[in-house]
Structures are given as C-alpha cells and as structure tokens.
Amino acid sequence: MSTKNTSRRTFITDAAKTTAAVALSATVLPSFANIIAQKSSTSVLGIPFSQRPLPYGYKDLEVAIDATTMEIHYSKHAATYAKNLNEAVLAEKVDINSVSLETLLGKISKYSPKMRNNGGGHYNHELFWQSMTAKSPLKPEGKLLAAIEKDFGSFEAFKTQFTDAGKSRFGSGWAWLVLNSDKKLIVGSTPNQDNPLMDISELKGTPLLGLDVWEHAYYLRYMNKRPDYINNWWNVVNWEVVAQRFNG
Ligand code: MN
C-alpha cells in the first residue's frame, strides 16, 4: 500500500513539474527571441537554457573549421556551458521568469564566477553558431555595409581591425563587432567567456558578431596559427544574420 501511495505521489509531483516547466517555457521564450531561443523540453534540470540545433552539419564549414573541432566544440565544450549555467541559475535562485539572459549578463558582477563564465559561455556560443554558414556572402551589404564603411573607413579596414583584435587577445577570449550606446560600430575583444553585455566588461554594447579565439576552437587544424584560423573564418561569416542583428 505504501508503494502504491509513493508511486502515486511521484506521479503527481512529476505531472506538476511538467506543467510548471511548460508554463515557464511559455513565459520565458519571448524574452529570448532572436538571439537565445530556448526549449525547456530538452533543458537540464527543468530550467530553459539549452543549445539550439546547429543550422548546418559539422562538416559544412570545413573551408574554415574541421568537422571534429565543430563536433567537440558544440557537443562537449558549449554543451557544458549550458549545463553549468542551469546549475548556477538554480543555485543562485535567479528568477528566470523576470530576467532574460541578456539582463542577467548586464549585472553579472552581482553573481558568482560560475554564472559569469557559463552565462557568457552559453550566450557567446549560441551567437557564434548562428553567425556562420556554409554559403557566406563574404561581405555585408545595405545599411550594415554603409555603417561599417562610415565607422571603419572600408570593409577591408574593419576586417583588419577585427582580425587584429582576435590575434592580440592574450590567452582565451573573443573578438567582437559591437554596436555601442552612441550607435557607432566598434571592434574589440574580451577575455575568457566575458562579453560586451557584461557590466564588468571594458568593451560595451550590443554584440553583432563574435569570434571564439579559444584554442579549443581551432587547435586541431591550426595548432599555434591563430591568424590562419581567423583569415579562413571570414569565408563562413553569415552576414545576413549579422545584418538582422544590426537592423534589429
Ligand atoms: Mn568555444
């Protein structure tokens, strides 16, 4: 009899959790629109931070990044950031009904190193995967191209500045194209998994394009030659997605 009662209680608890998770997902999803679309059904610990599927296959970016690197990077490194972010959110009792990931990053100094490293790690990688395509137009057009030419002099000058930002970032980090609060495009880099949304970041603004320059992103093919990785990466940039972020 006690077994029966226990299993019934378990069932009721599980059903309540499922209902709560569905309700949570419906509430949270709109605040993550465009950049971080979440699915609570595949999330860890019932909290909706999870990886979107890649918009291409592991082999499809081989002109720049080999398939093994893509697979390990997405399914191991980035997956771990999502898992650890869920743990941090749970441990620090963040009410994700009322705060988006972007908002949380904006006051990251109030949270633990685990939240900073993994909140940044999850955001940065989700942005990174969407910023690449096997069918790159190789350069932007329209309003984004005009803004780049205005703020950097030319598209080539922008590429040189961005490449230099990635090359000169000491150790692990990211290079960024950012729209700052003066609506000006700027280039810079951040250490580790920090990003320009964070209150602790020197480089601040809305990230439009980010490049992972951690060794795990390129070492199998390029070993010590980070500049070669960056030069080849220009061949897979999804300028249409970057333009959508700029126009939004
Ligand atoms: Mn990475």
Side-chain angles (χ1 to χ4, degrees):
M1 172 181 143
S2 79
T3 306
K4 194 180 173 187
N5 280 348
T6 303
S7 67
R8 183 160 181 274
R9 260 203 309 276
T10 306
F11 170 77
I12 291 169
T13 309
D14 287 351
K17 277 183 190 159
T18 305
T19 308
V22 170
L24 195 59
S25 138
T27 314
V28 172
L29 269 172
S31 69
F32 291 95
N34 298 326
I35 297 179
I36 312 283
Q38 306 294 342
K39 294 194 304 261
S40 71
S41 59
T42 56
S43 73
V44 180
L45 303 175
I47 293 172
F49 288 112
S50 59
Q51 294 178 284
R52 279 179 293 180
L54 286 180
Y56 38 74
Y58 292 136
K59 292 179 181 172
D60 294 346
L61 306 182
E62 282 207 324
V63 61
I65 304 171
D66 63 279
T68 306
T69 296
M70 282 301 302
E71 181 170 1
I72 301 293
H73 197 180
Y74 177 82
S75 71
K76 304 295 183 194
H77 292 280
T80 302
Y81 295 122
K83 174 180 170 288
N84 289 345
L85 173 59
N86 286 322
E87 290 177 6
V89 161
L90 199 68
E92 294 172 54
K93 298 182 169 54
V94 174
D95 178 8
I96 54 167
N97 281 305
S98 61
V99 65
S100 69
L101 182 54
E102 291 89 337
T103 303
L104 194 148
L105 294 172
K107 47 183 181 178
I108 202 70
S109 61
K110 298 185 190 317
Y111 297 97
S112 67
K114 181 168 180 171
M115 189 80 83
R116 175 175 171 177
N117 292 334
N118 295 287
H122 183 59
Y123 180 92
N124 296 349
H125 286 86
E126 286 295 298
L127 185 125
F128 182 56
W129 309 130
Q130 302 298 322
S131 302
M132 298 188 287
T133 173
K135 294 171 185 154
S136 171
L138 300 178
K139 66 181 294 186
E141 54 186 30
K143 282 184 200 166
L144 176 58
L145 179 61
I148 286 174
E149 290 174 339
K150 175 173 150 292
D151 291 334
F152 298 99
S154 68
F155 178 61
E156 286 307 313
F158 151 74
K159 275 176 71 176
T160 301
Q161 264 195 47
F162 188 101
T163 300
D164 288 346
K167 276 159 54 176
S168 62
R169 165 48 56 189
F170 184 76
S172 299
W174 290 74
W176 299 100
L177 171 65
V178 166
L179 186 64
N180 75 9
S181 54
D182 299 328
K183 301 293 172 200
K184 188 170 154 50
L185 293 171
I186 53 172
V187 152
S189 73
T190 53
N192 304 314
Q193 294 296 352
D194 288 355
N195 71 39
L197 294 173
M198 293 182 173
D199 57 353
I200 44 80
S201 179
E202 278 179 42
L203 178 71
K204 281 196 175 66
T206 303
L208 302 181
L209 178 64
L211 171 61
D212 190 340
V213 296
W214 283 56
E215 282 188 346
H216 70 221
Y218 64 85
Y219 201 84
L220 283 182
R221 179 187 284 182
Y222 297 97
M223 292 182 281
N224 58 312
K225 295 172 185 157
R226 186 191 285 181
D228 291 358
Y229 158 64
I230 301 176
N231 286 337
N232 284 347
W233 178 75
W234 290 116
N235 293 312
V236 295
V237 174
N238 191 337
W239 285 108
E240 288 165 10
V241 164
V242 179
Q244 283 167 19
R245 291 182 191 131
F246 176 72
N247 295 326

